[in-house]
Amino acid sequence: MKFFQKLNFKNGSKSTLDYNLRINNLNGILQALSINLVVPFASIYTKRLNGTDNDIALLNAYPSIFSILAVFLGTYLFRKFKNKKKVTALFFGLGRSFFLLFIFIPFLPAWLRPGLFVLLYGAMSFPNSIANMGWQSYLADLFPEKWRGRAFSRRSSLSTISALIVTLITGNLLYFIPKNDSQRMLLYQIFFIIAFIVAIFEVLSLIKHRLDRNNKQIETITEFKNESLIDSLKNISKLVISNKRFLDYCICVVIFHFAWQMGWPIFFTYEYDILHSNELWSSIIATVSSIFQALTFPLWQKLSEKKGNTFAIALAVLIMSITPFLYIVSRSIVHVVIFNVITGAAVAGTVLLLLSNLYESAPNENRTLYIGIYTVLTNITLMFAPILGMKLKGLTNIYIALAVVGILRFLSAVVFYLRYKKYKKASL
């Protein structure tokens, strides 16, 4: 706790803003360290537990299912209990506690290990989704509108670098140190423990944020006479439907996320089956992408401040539509590494600007429920898009599948641009 006390500032809105910016950066770093000790290695850990291809498929499907279920409870909880920070911290703590459960998996019967790990990994998304929804809403409460993008950009740059470092170190240790499977499992268990310890400080840093009551963008919540879960959801639906700007954004988001997520397994298959990649090249690709994400976060933020969030997201999605065609022309894994300079920059812009556009489209009143709807939509596309992408590849070939993904991404960029033109014209 003495470490956090050193970060304290004097009272006052400017001092509070500076303080929250520092705590926000620290929280992002700790979150990146905690998550990336576990999540990047979930698939290979499942394989080490003798998991099947079906287990790997469920490892990707379960989190989205649990996330959708979590949104309904999360929306109700944040409306019922007004202290977002405490509820968010509680569910982050519950989510990170799953790291401790993973430790005991190797002690169970062999036939039970992979299935139970996959189920627990998916169930971990339930508290994490509630926590992330609360954090996204609380971030908007903490920072005035003109500072939100800057705060998220700084946090994203630092957390991306931290994630890169911890992933590289962890991956190399898991590869070089163990002499057999038993030693490797022991090392995984050690990393799970370290991840949980880091997560404790992550939650503590979240609690240390200070809410400035002078921020006029703090969320207000509509009070309904009947606050049962079912009636609350009915009232929520009425509010969302009446918000035309948010509905327009949701249409763009659904089209883009479907096209975005559809390409993920196809890219992986192209790298491994066509270009004969391996763990080393995957690490290099991730490194190059992460470096250029960290470098371009501030550039995208400057563009959004100059041209607006609606224009910047259209440009980011347009650049991302190039990625499938870059894979088509790649004849060596080295080409993919080089092209990830472009891909990393596009991902940085997309991640940053999707959230900025969400804040811009969702009103201050009942902001959390709008974030909940956004979360549901993106997880629904995640349930189906990767499967349909691989189905398309099976019916045609990988080159046609990549071309279709590229065309769909280009169309999503067009839709975002039409949204930009619509609201630019309305503001004149």
Side-chain angles (χ1 to χ4, degrees), residues 122-354:
M124 182 173 65
S125 292
F126 190 89
N128 282 344
S129 294
I130 294 176
N132 285 325
M133 189 171 66
W135 169 240
Q136 288 175 343
S137 182
Y138 189 59
L139 182 68
D141 290 344
L142 286 172
F143 300 106
E145 187 172 358
K146 68 177 182 179
W147 275 96
R148 288 174 188 166
R150 300 179 201 178
F152 187 62
S153 174
R154 293 179 184 180
R155 175 190 175 98
S156 298
S157 295
L158 292 171
S159 61
T160 300
I161 294 171
S162 302
L164 168 63
I165 293 172
V166 73
T167 302
L168 285 174
I169 293 175
T170 305
N172 277 277
L173 291 176
L174 285 169
Y175 182 79
F176 288 108
I177 291 181
K179 303 301 181 183
N180 52 53
D181 288 340
S182 297
Q183 292 181 7
R184 186 170 286 107
M185 279 296 167
L186 177 60
L187 194 56
Y188 270 112
Q189 291 169 313
I190 292 173
F191 284 140
F192 293 152
I193 294 173
I194 296 173
F196 178 74
I197 294 173
V198 175
I200 293 174
F201 290 96
E202 175 199 343
V203 174
L204 287 175
S205 67
L206 173 63
I207 295 173
K208 295 296 290 184
H209 284 91
R210 295 175 181 167
L211 187 61
D212 183 2
R213 296 294 175 182
N214 294 322
N215 180 9
K216 296 180 181 180
Q217 279 81 45
I218 291 178
E219 178 183 15
T220 57
I221 298 177
T222 302
E223 298 289 345
F224 297 125
K225 292 181 180 179
N226 196 337
E227 274 292 332
S228 69
L229 180 57
I230 300 299
D231 290 326
S232 180
L233 292 174
K234 289 180 180 178
N235 289 317
I236 286 169
S237 301
K238 293 177 182 178
L239 283 174
V240 172
I241 292 173
S242 65
N243 189 323
K244 181 64 175 174
R245 189 181 185 94
F246 180 73
L247 284 177
D248 287 344
Y249 181 59
C250 285
I251 292 172
C252 295
V253 163
V254 168
I255 296 172
F256 166 69
H257 270 83
F258 185 86
W260 186 21
Q261 297 158 350
M262 187 177 178
W264 294 351
I266 304 176
F267 295 150
F268 177 84
T269 301
Y270 193 86
E271 290 174 13
Y272 277 81
D273 292 350
I274 306 298
L275 302 181
H276 308 293
S277 180
N278 53 37
E279 288 79 5
L280 175 61
W281 282 111
S282 293
S283 176
I284 294 173
I285 291 170
T287 300
V288 172
S289 179
S290 297
I291 289 173
F292 280 88
Q293 285 183 52
L295 290 175
T296 54
F297 273 123
L299 300 179
W300 284 111
Q301 179 54 36
K302 290 180 180 178
L303 178 64
S304 69
E305 291 177 356
K306 184 177 181 180
K307 294 289 188 177
N309 288 318
T310 52
F311 173 81
I313 186 65
L315 179 60
V317 173
L318 177 63
I319 297 174
M320 187 166 282
S321 70
I322 301 173
T323 302
F325 299 106
L326 294 178
Y327 269 76
I328 290 175
V329 300
S330 295
R331 293 296 177 263
S332 165
I333 195 65
V334 176
H335 296 156
V336 175
V337 173
I338 296 172
F339 290 145
N340 259 268
V341 171
I342 299 173
T343 304
V347 169
T350 304
V351 170
L352 174 67
L353 295 163
L354 281 172

